[in-house]
Amino acid sequence: MQQLEIENGGAEAFLAKTGLARHTYYTMVRGIGNPTIRTIERIASSLNMSVFELLGFDVADARRALKKSGVNYDELMSAITKKNRADRALARQTRSRKLPS
């Protein structure tokens, strides 16, 4: 996480880009708590990475591991991408409804 923070312009820029709360980020960096899969997906998506890449897996290794379980990597990544787009669209709609008129 700290390396990603550096690569993305420091803590403030990283937090703004990922949408993480400061407390959540520092909890993760210190290894105190476990992030939810939703948090991991959000970080990966905001950094244009797959969850596998974020967690340090080589894509080829992830493909092989998933194939052993009968899961197609490309189909899984497509489904995650669609889900993330839908989540972002829903979040935008929710925010726009909360804005004062």
Side-chain angles (χ1 to χ4, degrees), residues 12 14 35-36 38 46 49 52 56 58 72 85-86 94 97:
E12 294 305 316
F14 181 77
T36 64
R38 184 180 267 303
S46 66
M49 303 172 81
F52 300 110
D58 178 64
N72 181 287
R85 282 188 198 131
T94 303
R97 287 185 197 143

Side-chain angles (χ1 to χ4, degrees), residues 24-86:
T24 302
Y25 173 71
Y26 288 114
T27 299
M28 289 170 51
V29 169
R30 291 185 179 107
I32 297 169
N34 294 318
T36 64
I37 189 67
R38 184 180 267 303
T39 298
I40 294 169
E41 286 178 332
R42 185 175 43 185
I43 294 167
S45 175
S46 66
L47 299 175
N48 296 317
M49 303 172 81
S50 73
V51 170
F52 300 110
E53 292 169 312
L54 180 66
L55 297 176
F57 286 94
D58 178 64
V59 173
D61 291 339
R63 283 181 189 278
R64 278 192 297 278
L66 289 168
K67 187 176 181 179
K68 287 180 183 179
S69 299
V71 177
N72 181 287
Y73 176 88
D74 294 318
E75 290 175 5
L76 176 62
M77 295 312 300
S78 176
I80 290 171
T81 299
K82 287 177 186 175
K83 179 194 160 300
N84 287 339
R85 282 188 198 131

